[in-house]
Amino acid sequence: MVRSFLDGRFENTAFCLLAPDGETRLSGTGRSPSQGLRQGRGARGPGRGRGENGVVEAMEQVAKKFRPRGSKEGAVLQDFHSFRQGLNVASGDQRLLIFVVAAEDDRKRLRTDLRGLMSDKEIIGKFHADFAEEKPDSDWRDTVKGERGKTGIFVIRADAFGQTGNVVDQLPVDVTAEELKKALLEANTSFAKTEKRKVYSEHVAAGRRARVYFENGVPYGEDRDGDGEIDHRGGRGDRGGRGAGPEADERRGPPSGRRGGPPRGNRRPGQPPQRPRIRPGGTE
């Protein structure tokens, strides 16, 4: 799907607004919301030329065409495939992670009970959620500090690179929705006051200096020339870091038979890709 958004290329970010069916495109495509919604140079459409505010306005215009159906209780509840992935994503998004460790029967009940809470207008967008599974998460306690007991709803603050974390609050699995909401909002208020917004370029540089590496199930790298193969750069191997240049078997530049980048009409918008600016603690 990522390749279909980027004219056959595979890069580390892609954007497109999709209809509830998960297939129908409601916007253009690109490396960022500003590109997909055409908010860069030569932009057209709602809110054009207004930067971040223009992107929000354009999204709101699309959202007005759809009316909510069903109830909050029927909403899909977030759940990562492993605790380490959830912790890593929570760090990157600068949100607290709600990690549920419970017996199977309690876990099923909590999946249902938490749907309404996680869709609450005061909660939505401020947390990530994950449910412990026996095999992938058996050693989660080795990664965090401050946990007590074998089960509970743990509110965890990840470190700067999502490798470790600290439990900032812990609640029993039979906590009421009202009590849990109150605890989450208090934890997030404290988190937002003390978490410094990351500057992406500085954060990446610090991670490289500290030799931080996250083992992922998908090989690192991008396919910017659209030939179907990951472009590994010299000097860092599969990690896709900066090196002296292409490896011996890597082609430099666009695919053979095509010069000057993508064909006319499919060029990338003028604005370079930018990582979205995220306020610590989620949206307000």
Side-chain angles (χ1 to χ4, degrees), residues 182-255:
K182 181 176 182 293
L184 290 177
L185 291 177
E186 289 177 352
N188 190 66
T189 297
S190 176
F191 173 71
K193 289 180 179 179
T194 56
E195 179 79 356
K196 183 180 179 181
R197 175 180 286 176
K198 296 176 182 176
V199 177
Y200 183 62
S201 58
E202 296 176 2
H203 178 68
V204 171
R208 286 175 175 165
R209 288 194 299 270
R211 303 183 70 83
V212 175
Y213 181 70
F214 182 81
E215 187 69 33
N216 205 347
V218 178
Y220 288 101
E222 300 178 323
D223 175 20
R224 296 198 174 202
D225 55 16
D227 65 353
E229 300 291 336
I230 296 297
D231 303 326
H232 298 305
R233 301 180 184 179
R236 293 291 183 91
D238 290 349
R239 294 174 66 172
R242 296 179 181 176
E247 296 177 346
D249 59 349
E250 181 182 349
R251 179 174 62 249
R252 183 190 294 273

Side-chain angles (χ1 to χ4, degrees), residues 55-241:
V55 169
V56 174
E57 290 179 16
M59 288 184 175
E60 290 176 343
Q61 290 296 320
V62 174
K64 288 179 181 178
K65 300 177 182 179
F66 295 87
R67 299 183 63 180
R69 297 180 180 179
S71 63
K72 293 180 179 179
E73 288 70 23
V76 175
L77 189 62
Q78 186 182 36
D79 188 10
F80 292 92
H81 80 267
S82 70
F83 171 73
R84 61 186 295 272
Q85 184 198 43
L87 190 67
N88 189 264
V89 173
S91 173
D93 289 345
Q94 294 191 272
R95 300 183 188 180
L96 293 174
L97 176 66
I98 302 171
F99 188 54
V100 179
V101 183
E104 185 175 356
D105 290 343
D106 288 329
R107 193 161 62 238
K108 290 181 179 179
R109 174 183 57 80
L110 286 168
R111 285 184 187 275
T112 300
D113 293 347
L114 287 177
R115 287 174 179 171
L117 177 61
M118 297 306 292
S119 298
D120 186 284
K121 63 180 181 180
E122 294 184 84
I123 296 294
I124 192 169
K126 296 181 179 179
F127 301 88
H128 282 304
D130 187 34
F131 289 78
E133 301 291 343
E134 292 183 6
K135 290 185 178 180
D137 302 325
S138 59
D139 58 351
W140 73 274
R141 286 182 172 81
D142 297 339
T143 309
V144 301
K145 297 179 180 179
E147 84 286 357
R148 305 180 308 278
K150 295 182 178 181
T151 63
I153 300 175
F154 300 86
V155 184
I156 300 174
R157 179 174 186 163
D159 76 339
F161 300 105
Q163 307 290 295
T164 62
N166 287 284
V167 175
V168 298
D169 201 356
Q170 179 178 340
L171 299 104
V173 295
D174 59 354
V175 65
T176 66
E178 292 76 14
E179 292 172 332
L180 179 56
K181 177 180 177 179
K182 181 176 182 293
L184 290 177
L185 291 177
E186 289 177 352
N188 190 66
T189 297
S190 176
F191 173 71
K193 289 180 179 179
T194 56
E195 179 79 356
K196 183 180 179 181
R197 175 180 286 176
K198 296 176 182 176
V199 177
Y200 183 62
S201 58
E202 296 176 2
H203 178 68
V204 171
R208 286 175 175 165
R209 288 194 299 270
R211 303 183 70 83
V212 175
Y213 181 70
F214 182 81
E215 187 69 33
N216 205 347
V218 178
Y220 288 101
E222 300 178 323
D223 175 20
R224 296 198 174 202
D225 55 16
D227 65 353
E229 300 291 336
I230 296 297
D231 303 326
H232 298 305
R233 301 180 184 179
R236 293 291 183 91
D238 290 349
R239 294 174 66 172

